[in-house]
Amino acid sequence: MIVDFDKLNDTSRVFIFPAERKLYPEEMDVLKSEIEGFFESHPKHVGGYQILLNRFIILCISETTPLGLSENDDLIEVILSLEKKWEISLLDKVKVFFKQGEFVQCKEIREFKKLIKSNSVSPKSMIFNNFVHNKFEFENNWELTAEESWVGHLF
């Protein structure tokens, strides 16, 4: 069952699927339909979702109805089908997602290191931490300065 994302508890499990490029409006309709279809096919699970910055698919599943292995596999199957359909990566969390001005960038670690050396990014650049586990962490630690994030050791 889909509920308002904001109504889920802080301990609800968060799944973040970062898109390596901006999602197009026609893809958004398909994405919403696929996510809602996932929830419809698993009605005992309570959760919500957001699509932020046209790049990040955020699913939040209530801690009272956690996904089992089978449901988790079904969710990954949905994401893999979208990857294949759009020829895009949604499961690669090791890429660095960061803001450059008002735009979200996605770089491999080695490319990000080059940006550091050329002073194109700084310890104060905003990084998206796609490794958060629950809603509280998402709301408080998803967007951090580079020095506070998982790439801080590179500076």
Side-chain angles (χ1 to χ4, degrees), residues 138-153:
F138 171 71
E139 291 176 338
N140 294 284
N141 296 315
W142 179 55
E143 196 172 338
L144 301 168
T145 62
E147 64 190 351
E148 297 174 310
S149 77
W150 66 279
V151 296
H153 68 282

Side-chain angles (χ1 to χ4, degrees), residues 80-129:
L80 287 171
S81 73
L82 293 172
E83 282 188 330
K84 186 175 181 181
K85 186 183 299 184
W86 298 333
E87 297 179 1
I88 187 173
S89 172
L90 296 168
L91 291 169
D92 189 351
K93 294 186 181 193
V94 181
K95 289 181 180 169
V96 183
F97 289 82
F98 61 100
K99 282 186 179 176
Q100 229 170 12
E102 63 185 70
F103 300 102
V104 174
Q105 301 293 323
C106 171
K107 300 290 181 192
E108 299 281 344
I109 295 276
R110 107 183 128 258
E111 293 172 20
F112 189 75
K113 287 179 181 178
K114 289 178 185 176
L115 292 175
I116 292 171
K117 287 182 182 176
S118 69
N119 292 321
S120 297
V121 293
S122 75
K124 299 295 180 198
S125 296
M126 296 309 290
I127 303 291
F128 295 97
N129 175 14

